[in-house]
């Protein structure tokens, strides 16, 4: 399992921004910049749709769309089952810098957004591998509100994960970016809902961002060195010269 060569240090939208331009102004609901420092951002994926309701159930301030849930009773099973991707509310991860952090329920082994979030110094909270498997298995792990919302469909509950196979999945889980040992220091893992509430309240966010910056500086240097080896580029040769 060799590390995948990724364009570390680059962001998917950088090429679209003219040199010297600033990020577009972005509004997130009715929250001010100061308010956002107490809010967790939820990515626009279906697993995070259920997390939107869970935030209300746990009493956490989370944002996933322009119309935040008022109560778990307004959470729709039909919307969750049919929505694979919510409308994108940002074009560059750096636009999320004022949020407390990103709260995510993984849906794939590897995503470009993972690296974009880290390059933008965003703190990412995800369940531990043990708790994730518990959340995958039954609506009970989420609390009574999910099972009640599902009604007769309670036995059909399942989260979505790319190429999920229970037997091989549990054995190879550490190769997913969310649970890889090499990434343990830059992610905040919660092992229960009570643990999540504790971490949201007690995490040293600035210290965590410092760890992320140090980790990503090393990761960028390592990845660029791998690319130099692959392309036969000398260390003293600039990437601009390579492009020409």
């Amino acid at each position: 399992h060799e590390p995948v060569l990724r364009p570390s240090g680059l962001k998917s939208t950088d090429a679209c921004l003219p040199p010297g331009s600033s990020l577009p102004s972005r509004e997130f609901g009715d929250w001010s910049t100061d308010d956002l420092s107490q809010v967790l951002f939820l990515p626009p994926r279906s697993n995070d749709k259920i997390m939107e309701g869970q935030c209300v159930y746990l009493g956490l301030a989370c944002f996933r769309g322009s119309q935040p849930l008022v109560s778990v009773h307004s959470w729709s099973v039909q919307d969750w089952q049919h929505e694979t991707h919510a409308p994108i509310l940002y074009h560059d991860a750096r636009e999320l810098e004022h949020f407390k952090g990103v709260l995510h329920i993984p849906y794939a082994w590897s995503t470009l957004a993972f690296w974009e979030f880290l390059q933008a110094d965003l703190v990412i909270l995800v369940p531990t591998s043990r708790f994730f498997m518990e959340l995958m298995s039954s609506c009970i792990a989420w609390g009574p509100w999910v099972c009640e919302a599902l009604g007769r469909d309670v036995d059909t509950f399942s989260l979505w994960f790319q190429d999920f196979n229970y037997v091989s999945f549990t054995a190879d889980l550490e190769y997913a970016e969310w649970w890889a040992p090499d990434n343990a220091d830059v992610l905040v893992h919660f092992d229960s809902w009570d643990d999540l509430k504790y971490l949201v309240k007690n995490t040293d966010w600035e210290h965590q961002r410092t760890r992320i910056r140090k980790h990503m500086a090393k990761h960028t240097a390592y990845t660029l060195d791998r690319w130099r080896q692959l392309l036969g580029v000398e260390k003293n040769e600039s990437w601009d010269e390579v492009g020409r």
Side-chain angles (χ1 to χ4, degrees), residues 28 31 33 36-42 62-64 95-102 122-123 205 209:
F28 297 97
W31 278 310
T33 298
L36 291 180
S37 65
Q38 301 303 315
V39 178
L40 297 168
F41 182 82
L42 301 176
C62 300
F63 180 84
R64 185 175 178 270
E95 297 172 36
L96 308 177
E97 63 179 352
H98 297 298
F99 282 91
K100 180 186 285 286
V102 176
L122 298 176
V123 179
W205 301 93
R209 292 185 186 97

Side-chain angles (χ1 to χ4, degrees), residues 23-202:
L23 293 173
S25 176
R26 190 75 57 194
E27 293 184 357
F28 297 97
D30 296 327
W31 278 310
S32 66
T33 298
D34 290 338
D35 291 335
L36 291 180
S37 65
Q38 301 303 315
V39 178
L40 297 168
F41 182 82
L42 301 176
R45 291 292 181 173
S46 61
N47 287 350
D48 299 305
K49 175 69 174 177
I50 191 172
M51 193 63 232
E52 184 179 27
Q54 189 69 7
C55 282
V56 176
Y57 179 69
L58 296 174
L60 297 176
C62 300
F63 180 84
R64 185 175 178 270
S66 57
Q67 298 295 327
L69 291 178
V70 178
S71 73
V72 292
H73 300 295
S74 58
W75 184 83
S76 169
V77 173
Q78 289 72 29
D79 288 347
W80 173 56
Q81 292 175 334
H82 295 98
E83 178 189 89
T84 57
H85 202 298
I88 295 295
L89 300 173
Y90 68 98
H91 296 292
D92 189 295
R94 291 170 294 180
E95 297 172 36
L96 308 177
E97 63 179 352
H98 297 298
F99 282 91
K100 180 186 285 286
V102 176
L103 176 56
H104 181 48
I105 306 298
Y107 67 92
W109 297 86
S110 172
T111 67
L112 183 57
F114 173 85
W115 299 100
E116 290 178 334
F117 289 153
L118 292 180
Q119 288 288 1
D121 301 337
L122 298 176
V123 179
I124 307 172
L125 299 95
V126 293
T128 61
S129 58
R130 185 210 66 80
F131 191 42
F132 179 75
M133 292 305 300
E134 186 178 329
L135 297 178
M136 288 280 291
S137 64
S138 170
C139 64
I140 297 174
W142 291 83
W145 74 273
V146 178
C147 297
E148 291 173 6
L150 287 167
R152 295 180 179 178
D153 296 327
V154 65
D155 293 332
T156 66
F157 174 85
S158 66
L159 296 182
W160 192 88
F161 197 91
Q162 179 187 41
D163 300 327
F164 177 77
N165 178 285
Y166 188 87
V167 176
S168 63
F169 183 81
T170 53
D172 295 335
L173 205 58
E174 69 179 55
Y175 296 111
E177 290 171 336
W178 315 101
W179 303 289
D182 288 348
N183 297 330
D185 289 342
V186 295
L187 294 168
V188 177
H189 290 99
F190 55 93
D191 199 46
S192 68
W193 295 126
D194 285 339
D195 191 29
L196 172 61
K197 290 192 289 185
Y198 175 85
L199 290 169
V200 168
K201 184 178 180 180
N202 295 285

